[in-house]
Amino acid sequence: MDKIVSLCKRRGFIFQSSAIYGKLNACYDYGPLGVEMKRNIKEIWWRSMVQERSNIVGLDAAILMHPKVWEASGHVTGFTDPLVDCRQCKMRFREDEIEEKFLEKRQCPRCGTVGSLTEARQFNLMFKTNMGPVEEKSSTVYLRPETAQGIYVNYKNVIDSSRLKIPFGIAQIGKAFRNEITPGNFIFRTREFEQAEMQFFVRPGDDEKFFEEWKEVRMNWYSRIGINKEKLRFHEHASDELAHYAKAAFDIEYKYPIGWKELEGIHNRTDFDLSRHQEHSGKDLTYFDDAARERFLPYIIETSSGMDRILLTCLVDGYEEEKLEKETRTVLRLDPKVAPVKAAVFPLVKRDGMPEYAKKLEKDLRKSFMVFYDESGAVGRRYRRQDEAGTPFCITVDSQTLEDDTVTIRERDSMKQIRIPSNGVRDELRKKMWE
Ligand code: GAP
């Protein structure tokens, strides 16, 4: 993980937030390469979850919502972690993360003092803020800890405006905030992160069938972004692990350098959320099924992923220090669709009209992809810089280009080169990217 963190800073993927002021813990900023990569992941998610499906539509709800939303959803009372302090070293822990052997003796896992752990207090993970100029209890609002609730409170608006029929889904990508007690492992667990969630509304009784379907669909999606299947598995939540809203839950887990951890959650939320909002708002949230002449509260199957965590997974999965004959190259084997820059364009040398030719090609390719122009240093070193940034293709303009308008395309993973007409580069890249 340290190598990934260092690569991310060095190459402009991810920076620690507010570093010049000594950093803000568990908050990160995306640099020029990181922001492109995250945009690509969001785009692929949206394309497969919304664009390619006629029964799923998108939404972009506000981060700040009426405080009653969080009372109804159960987050005000239920979205808590058990927090214990060490009286000796003042360190704070989540009680459910402390090993049994320490808990038995109320021993601090950090400083080892026996009997130093306090009793657990329930700590609410929601960030509070105030709306308007007066700081009083009635003006308290929360930064949303999940995007899902924005979908539930809009579900009637969406049905009325789009005439969708059950089963259908509403998808959303947006920021979420949690005052995590134990953030860490770089962007794995942060206090501000981005979720991509889809809530699928189904007839009660059909929920288990759709739950199984969505588990499968979401697991397969990770192949679409090039994640190694061998490093993915399901983890079923035992009854004591289930969130307050879920009847059943499976995590898709990835084998990170820190062990098997949750990448995405798929939850059967039943009619828990809609019935709570119906009760607390006093508004009828039932769905009327025209064909069956029946009225009911739909059940909801949720797929919930973290964009930052997916990005971290792509970095971890793609990172390799490959031993070559004379050197070791660091290469990020990112799926070309995910890679921040699709191609780098090089003039072999900085003379004889090669830079002008290469710049023209770069300008032309920019209309279709993120590309990068580089003319500094030996071409071998330029390849290495792009390997480390995950750029899948490097296009070189050489003396032959000036004679016959052909260029070489070098592939990052195989390091093989092909020569093709320069006016065919765009189509060739497109083909390679989507094949
Ligand atoms: N709406 C359901 C929900 O929020 P969750 O399992 O708490 O479920 C879903 O979160 C996903 O959001 C996780 O699988 C993870 O990818 C991401 N996530 C949750 N907390 C996170 C955090 N503190 N930092 C980064 N990503 C997080």
Side-chain angles (χ1 to χ4, degrees), residues 8-19:
C8 281
K9 180 164 186 227
R10 193 169 67 244
R11 297 313 312 267
F13 280 91
I14 300 165
F15 309 121
Q16 178 77 57
S17 164
S18 320

Side-chain angles (χ1 to χ4, degrees), residues 330-434:
T330 301
V331 53
L332 263 188
R333 297 189 193 277
L334 300 176
D335 184 285
K337 296 187 289 304
V338 169
V341 174
K342 308 304 181 197
V345 184
F346 308 151
L348 185 63
V349 290
K350 274 196 271 184
R351 56 168 196 274
D352 304 336
M354 289 182 214
E356 290 75 13
Y357 196 109
K359 277 185 185 154
K360 193 165 165 290
L361 182 59
E362 177 225 14
K363 194 171 170 205
D364 186 41
L365 290 175
R366 268 192 190 280
K367 291 177 196 150
S368 309
F369 318 107
M370 282 303 296
V371 290
F372 182 78
Y373 175 84
D374 188 6
E375 58 177 28
S376 63
V379 77
R381 296 194 56 187
R382 285 182 256 166
Y383 283 148
R384 293 289 169 271
R385 287 201 289 266
Q386 294 307 316
D387 289 343
E388 202 183 50
T391 307
F393 308 106
C394 291
I395 299 151
T396 304
V397 168
D398 55 17
S399 50
Q400 193 178 328
T401 311
L402 306 177
E403 286 165 21
D404 64 5
D405 284 319
T406 61
V407 293
T408 61
I409 301 184
R410 179 251 194 199
E411 280 192 64
R412 175 198 65 205
D413 295 349
S414 63
M415 293 188 286
K416 289 207 176 102
Q417 298 193 18
I418 53 166
R419 183 171 278 279
I420 65 159
S422 60
N423 61 8
V425 169
R426 182 198 320 273
D427 287 347
E428 185 64 21
L429 293 189
R430 257 205 198 115
K431 199 173 93 198
K432 285 180 181 299
M433 234 175 296
W434 295 101

Side-chain angles (χ1 to χ4, degrees), residues 21-34:
Y21 289 102
K23 81 179 189 185
L24 182 66
N25 201 20
C27 292
Y28 290 90
D29 301 336
Y30 285 83
L33 292 189

Side-chain angles (χ1 to χ4, degrees), residues 72 111 167 232 286 323 370 421:
C111 72
L232 293 168
T286 52
K323 293 225 169 349
M370 282 303 296

Side-chain angles (χ1 to χ4, degrees), residues 146 178 180 188 190 193 195 197 245 262-263 302 304 306:
E146 61 170 8
R178 296 182 189 177
E180 299 279 5
F188 181 81
T190 52
F193 54 97
Q195 287 189 316
E197 298 196 304
Y245 49 73
E262 175 183 348
L263 168 59
E302 168 182 71
S304 175

Side-chain angles (χ1 to χ4, degrees), residues 300-318:
I300 291 167
I301 306 302
E302 168 182 71
T303 73
S304 175
S305 55
M307 291 289 109
D308 313 83
R309 211 169 274 185
I310 294 177
L311 187 140
L312 177 65
T313 310
C314 292
L315 291 174
V316 167
D317 202 61

Side-chain angles (χ1 to χ4, degrees), residues 202-267:
V202 304
R203 168 182 279 278
D206 287 348
D207 50 315
E208 287 174 19
K209 179 184 83 183
F210 283 111
F211 185 62
E212 289 308 315
E213 263 186 43
W214 279 110
K215 269 171 59 190
E216 178 103 7
V217 169
R218 291 306 304 154
M219 182 60 105
N220 293 340
W221 184 82
Y222 287 97
S223 302
R224 192 163 169 171
I225 57 165
I227 302 294
N228 180 358
K229 269 189 186 158
E230 307 291 307
K231 292 195 169 175
L232 293 168
R233 72 174 187 193
F234 280 118
H235 162 75
E236 182 175 7
H237 283 215
S239 53
D240 59 344
E241 276 178 276
L242 286 175
H244 61 274
Y245 49 73
K247 161 179 156 188
F250 274 75
D251 290 340
I252 296 175
E253 291 189 334
Y254 180 82
K255 194 173 183 192
Y256 296 94
I258 49 171
W260 286 99
K261 300 273 175 207
E262 175 183 348
L263 168 59
E264 164 161 354
I266 295 121
H267 311 126

